[in-house]
Amino acid sequence: MTYKILLTPGDGIGPEVIEQTGRVLGWFAQNRNFAFETESAPIGGIAYETLGTPEPDSTIEKAKAADAVLFGAVGGPKWDKLPFHQKPERGLLRLRKDLELFANLRPALCFDALKDASSLKPEIVAGLDILIVRELTGGVYFGEPKETTTLPDGQKRAVDTQVYTTSEIERIARVAFELARLRGNKVASAEKSNVMVTGVLWREVVTKVHAEEFPDVQLSHVLADNCAMQLVRNPKQYDVIVTDNLFGDVLSDEAAQLTGSIGMLPSASLGAKDPASGKQAALYEPIHGSAPDIAGQGLANPIACILSFAMCLRYSFGRVEDATLLERAVDKVLSEGFRTADIMQPGMTKLGTAAMTDRVLMALDALKA
Ligand code: NAD
């Protein structure tokens, strides 16, 4: 099977980290029988410059046709004054919307060599490997009414509405259970069923999907506030955490921060799986932005983007062993003392973007047997 991967490098350091990740793709083609075709398409500021829009239809169509999109970053000061509909970020938002990417995945993986860089004690984060699955297109950010009105006494009243339907909860629960089967086979579902009716429905639906479709996966329920506390007390008790849009926003930032630099953090956004073809829209991207302050200097840490490709191997292509191999290669490079500037520590060797990728490729060579 030949996989189709659309590369959307975007702006700033986006093209730099995508170029290096392309070298990693090449390694997997040569050494692990990984057949793929790549195509590059403009998005964000560069698309605005060349095609007059940050969200070209041609790019969106290519993304829909691809098995996965590997996205760099968009934005920069050059486009800050553009009207909202022409801003580079529109490109990413349109991709998320048109591909119906309702499931946002953020892993928190602590590499042993960086355990001292965490704000928590090393023993709490060493070996940490959890995945937050956040519902991305429903809940309180989108619910209606969403308005501010003025009351007769002159004060203002603002309303946001938390709304979830059975089908919205079912589909995110399925994503979480399916992903758990590729990892530690455990799901913790976080809501506030003690005080919110959406939380009650969330718990009921997750419990039903579990009983009917995923009885082999271990399920627990946790109140979202307790989950936030447990994440800093004993995060390693978790494997996959599934939660709604609002709680997911907070919990995923908290979990990501357990492990350190923004240059290290990958993410994925997934759509629904087509029951007939099994195809699932998917976009993989580093969490960081276009980092205009270091763009074009060969300084960017490519690891977040490289680890986004590891997520792509695991979640879009089911190549769990290859994903693990790539993560182990990154771990090896870090434990050998190689660092980019953003994660530099005393006594370590500082490398640029390409040299760091060279090291990852060398580690892959060393580990492939
Ligand atoms: P940023 O993530 O681009 O940068 C924040 C800081 O982290 C900077 O000092 C930067 O140099 C550093 N950094 C980020 N990635 C790094 C890497 N891989 N290696 C080393 N250092 C790294 O966030 P920002 O400065 O707030 O935003 C810059 C631009 O990026 C803005 O236009 C913003 O809108 C855009 N942005 C885009 C995305 C996206 O495309 N998904 C996400 C966030 C921000």
Side-chain angles (χ1 to χ4, degrees):
M1 158 135 195
T2 301
Y3 298 110
K4 272 169 122 181
I5 302 175
L6 182 71
L7 306 175
T8 52
D11 310 316
I13 63 168
E16 297 171 50
V17 295
I18 288 283
E19 183 189 348
Q20 298 305 318
T21 305
R23 296 174 62 205
V24 176
L25 260 82
W27 186 93
F28 278 85
Q30 266 184 10
N31 294 280
R32 303 288 289 189
N33 197 21
F34 175 66
F36 67 92
E37 282 168 15
T38 57
E39 192 180 358
S40 221
I43 195 89
I46 183 72
Y48 175 76
E49 297 297 327
T50 52
L51 301 170
T53 168
E55 42 177 332
D57 291 341
S58 55
T59 299
I60 305 294
E61 289 314 312
K62 284 176 187 164
K64 284 183 181 164
D67 294 305
V69 179
L70 200 53
F71 186 95
V74 290
K78 189 173 174 190
W79 304 289
D80 275 353
K81 294 207 167 59
L82 285 175
F84 186 68
H85 69 281
Q86 290 174 332
K87 280 198 187 297
E89 290 74 11
R90 295 297 313 160
L92 181 56
L93 295 178
R94 166 113 188 256
L95 277 171
R96 284 183 182 156
K97 185 166 159 283
D98 285 19
L99 271 61
E100 295 182 64
L101 303 171
F102 65 87
N104 184 238
L105 277 49
R106 282 228 212 155
L109 189 70
C110 184
F111 291 100
D112 219 44
L114 297 183
K115 64 180 190 285
D116 294 319
S118 171
S119 48
L120 295 189
K121 291 187 193 125
E123 64 269 26
I124 304 275
V125 293
L128 180 73
D129 179 4
I130 61 180
L131 178 68
I132 309 264
V133 177
R134 166 188 172 194
E135 202 288 327
L136 201 59
T137 53
V140 73
Y141 295 158
F142 296 96
E144 295 288 343
K146 188 177 196 68
E147 61 188 14
T148 306
T149 50
T150 305
L151 298 176
D153 67 0
Q155 57 170 324
K156 288 198 167 162
R157 179 173 184 270
V159 179
D160 292 292
T161 306
Q162 166 87 337
V163 190
Y164 271 108
T165 61
T166 305
S167 58
E168 283 175 316
I169 304 169
E170 281 172 350
R171 65 181 189 174
I172 191 77
R174 285 193 187 105
V175 169
F177 287 125
E178 276 166 9
L179 295 177
R181 281 180 175 160
L182 298 173
R183 304 168 37 95
N185 218 30
K186 285 201 305 187
V187 171
S189 169
E191 29 62 12
K192 288 283 287 174
S193 57
N194 54 340
V195 286
M196 295 172 76
V197 288
T198 46
V200 173
L201 181 67
W202 185 280
R203 190 176 283 221
E204 278 171 18
V205 173
V206 172
T207 303
K208 190 159 178 280
V209 170
H210 173 250
E212 289 175 359
E213 300 172 43
F214 302 92
D216 55 303
V217 180
Q218 195 184 322
L219 170 66
S220 59
H221 299 278
V222 59
L223 296 177
D225 50 341
N226 184 22
C227 186
M229 196 257 285
Q230 295 298 333
L231 275 175
V232 287
R233 196 184 71 86
N234 176 20
K236 282 185 265 182
Q237 67 185 285
Y238 294 120
D239 176 29
V240 174
I241 297 172
V242 63
T243 190
D244 75 10
N245 202 344
L246 173 63
F247 298 136
D249 196 357
V250 178
L251 295 176
S252 65
D253 266 16
E254 186 190 0
Q257 194 48 44
L258 300 175
T259 65
S261 163
I262 196 166
M264 298 288 301
L265 296 169
S267 77
S269 299
L270 305 180
K273 199 174 251 177
D274 183 87
S277 65
K279 195 172 168 198
Q280 182 173 33
L283 182 143
Y284 298 88
E285 57 173 327
I287 279 174
H288 61 73
S290 59
D293 52 334
I294 57 164
Q297 300 172 43
L299 295 176
N301 185 347
I303 292 177
C305 196
I306 290 172
L307 291 175
S308 299
F309 174 58
M311 290 187 82
C312 175
L313 285 168
R314 177 175 281 118
Y315 297 125
S316 276
F317 306 146
R319 297 179 66 120
V320 178
E321 263 179 40
D322 285 341
T324 307
L325 176 69
L326 184 48
E327 287 158 0
R328 282 177 53 222
V330 169
D331 193 22
K332 181 167 161 48
V333 170
L334 295 171
S335 58
E336 287 166 353
F338 297 109
R339 300 282 188 276
T340 42
D342 57 314
I343 52 171
M344 188 58 191
Q345 290 167 305
M348 303 289 155
T349 309
K350 188 149 80 172
L351 301 177
T353 315
M356 180 53 112
T357 312
D358 291 345
R359 290 287 161 185
V360 173
L361 298 176
M362 280 181 223
L364 283 167
D365 281 336
L367 292 171
K368 75 179 172 191

